[in-house]
Amino acid sequence: GAHAVEMAGEAVRTGEAAPVSVVDDSKLLLPAVALPAAATVMAKHATGEEGEAPIAAARCRLHRFADGEWKERGKGEVKLLYSADTGKVRLVMRQEVTLKVRANHVVASPLEAHSELD
């Protein structure tokens, strides 16, 4: 059936055989504030990763075991970071869009990491 859609302040009636119309760009609304890309935000703000060298990085899903089942904690990038100052390696995982820290753990020295490709 036909239905009405409001586009740039004008009601446009559409249906199954509705003609294709060209939208006038002058009527489109632009955002009041332009948001920077996530990489730009990370570059401008202190993340706590300054002075640490990345050893490895991969996309991942983080789960936690709660109430007898595995629940997803977030999706994003996990990194192993080496600090030359302390000589320690830590695992940091940030959620994709929000860049919130979802995991931050020091890796114990006897632990060895192997990927599925090894």
Side-chain angles (χ1 to χ4, degrees):
H3 58 278
V5 176
E6 188 169 330
M7 187 184 290
E10 299 176 17
V12 178
R13 195 147 177 84
T14 62
E16 286 149 18
V20 176
S21 61
V22 177
V23 177
D24 182 11
D25 286 345
S26 65
K27 294 182 183 180
L28 295 177
L29 299 175
L30 297 175
V33 177
L35 297 175
T40 307
V41 172
M42 291 286 288
K44 290 184 179 180
H45 298 287
T47 62
E49 297 175 17
E50 296 82 15
E52 295 179 323
I55 297 172
R59 287 195 79 244
C60 73
R61 282 187 185 191
L62 182 65
H63 292 81
R64 62 186 168 92
F65 191 76
D67 303 325
E69 64 181 338
W70 288 99
K71 296 183 180 180
E72 187 172 300
R73 179 91 169 112
K75 288 188 276 189
E77 185 178 38
V78 64
K79 296 186 252 182
L80 288 174
L81 302 171
Y82 173 74
S83 174
D85 295 339
T86 62
K88 295 182 180 179
V89 174
R90 69 183 179 119
L91 177 136
V92 177
M93 189 264 188
R94 291 183 181 272
Q95 192 167 344
E96 280 179 333
V97 177
T98 63
L99 301 178
K100 288 183 179 180
V101 174
R102 292 296 179 201
N104 184 14
H105 302 280
V106 174
V107 178
S109 53
L111 183 66
E112 290 185 22
H114 298 279
S115 76
E116 293 176 4
L117 303 175
D118 290 341

